[in-house]
Amino acid sequence: AQRVTQPEKLLSVFKGAPVELKCNYSYSGSPELFWYVQYSRQRLQLLLRHISRESIKGFTADLNKGETSFHLKKPFAQEEDSAMYYCALSARSGANSKLTFGKGITLSVRP
Amino acid sequence: EAGVAQSPRYKIIEKRQSVAFWCNPISGHATLYWYQQILGQGPKLLIQFQNNGVVDDSQLPKDRFSAERLKGVDSTLKIQPAKLEDSAVYLCASSFERHLSYEQYFGPGTRLTVT
């Protein structure tokens, strides 16, 4: 069975400070990992996926298979980054895939 | 493009009553998902449809929950009878196809309170 662990519920930083949102996973297969974000009064939306290896809104995340981690990082936080962030893992079953989400972390960026 | 639509946005019912939620996915999206999100937790997949067929309902409490997508477009999720622990946000999502290389788009959710 697959599991996603986000060990912290809340991270509060000042604007301009670095941010690291932690995510660890357990899965016996080859994982596909994602970060989803929900801004206040908005819908849950995809932020980035590890296979894309891209930076979105200044955020990056590297899959570390040795440590089974997929931490989300940003060198300089902005107030508009304040939101709820969810790490998610895709588990394959035949031709199908389904997402397992972590419990999420609230990022608060203070001015 | 128009997003995933859900209704109602809020619902309050008493335990043992029944309730139904409706979802209209993005036009052309073959795959539709229903998630349950309990306060303080991440979304949990309840059921996944590919067109009008069920692909995965392993986490759906089938003694009280049911869902259908008869014409392969919009979908309804029903709870009968409701329990206190069903209080949650019910999210609908859709994607072009079921492979996760296709992004899931989420609706605004229906917040259910069972008293």
Side-chain angles (χ1 to χ4, degrees):
Chain A
Q2 59 276 2
R3 180 180 296 173
V4 176
T5 302
Q6 294 181 253
E8 300 158 331
K9 290 187 176 181
L10 171 67
L11 179 63
S12 184
V13 301
F14 285 106
K15 177 182 173 181
V19 167
E20 182 178 63
L21 306 182
K22 296 189 187 321
C23 173
N24 290 91
Y25 67 91
S26 64
Y27 180 51
S28 57
S30 181
E32 291 184 51
L33 286 153
F34 306 79
W35 277 98
Y36 278 78
V37 62
Q38 188 165 24
Y39 301 102
S40 179
R41 289 184 291 277
Q42 293 189 27
R43 304 174 183 207
L44 190 63
Q45 59 187 287
L46 178 65
L47 179 62
L48 56 79
R49 63 186 83 190
H50 90 270
I51 57 174
S52 299
R53 295 181 172 271
E54 57 190 349
S55 173
I56 304 294
K57 299 184 179 182
F59 284 97
T60 59
D62 291 319
L63 177 61
N64 186 324
K65 292 187 177 181
E67 296 183 357
T68 59
S69 68
F70 188 57
H71 304 327
L72 184 68
K73 300 178 183 179
K74 185 170 183 176
F76 307 104
Q78 303 299 314
E79 289 179 67
E80 55 265 31
D81 296 329
S82 295
M84 191 78 181
Y85 291 80
Y86 295 93
C87 183
L89 178 149
S90 165
R92 290 189 180 274
S93 175
N96 195 38
S97 301
K98 74 176 181 184
L99 283 176
T100 298
F101 286 86
K103 291 187 176 182
I105 180 170
T106 300
L107 174 63
S108 174
V109 182
R110 294 169 286 171
Chain B
E1 60 184 2
V4 176
Q6 290 187 247
S7 67
R9 294 294 311 277
Y10 305 91
K11 189 74 176 178
I12 300 175
I13 61 172
E14 295 182 353
K15 59 183 179 183
R16 292 187 289 274
Q17 287 187 321
S18 62
V19 65
F21 313 127
W22 174 81
C23 172
N24 191 28
I26 292 172
S27 178
H29 279 194
T31 311
L32 185 147
Y33 311 81
W34 282 102
Y35 290 88
Q36 179 192 58
Q37 186 172 19
I38 294 172
L39 185 65
Q41 299 187 20
K44 181 183 85 171
L45 180 69
L46 291 176
I47 188 166
Q48 177 182 343
F49 291 94
Q50 180 70 10
N51 297 308
N52 61 351
V54 175
V55 174
D56 186 338
D57 63 357
S58 57
Q59 298 189 98
L60 186 74
K62 298 180 186 65
D63 58 334
R64 298 184 299 106
F65 286 65
S66 63
E68 60 184 15
R69 193 185 183 199
L70 292 176
K71 296 184 179 179
V73 180
D74 55 353
S75 175
T76 55
L77 175 69
K78 297 179 181 178
I79 308 175
Q80 181 178 11
K83 292 185 175 181
L84 295 176
E85 58 261 36
D86 298 332
S87 294
V89 175
Y90 290 84
L91 295 168
C92 180
S94 71
S95 63
F96 183 72
E97 274 295 344
R98 59 180 172 172
H99 191 283
L100 276 177
S101 61
Y102 296 98
E103 180 176 344
Q104 290 188 31
Y105 293 85
F106 284 82
T110 296
R111 183 176 297 276
L112 173 68
T113 302
V114 183
T115 62

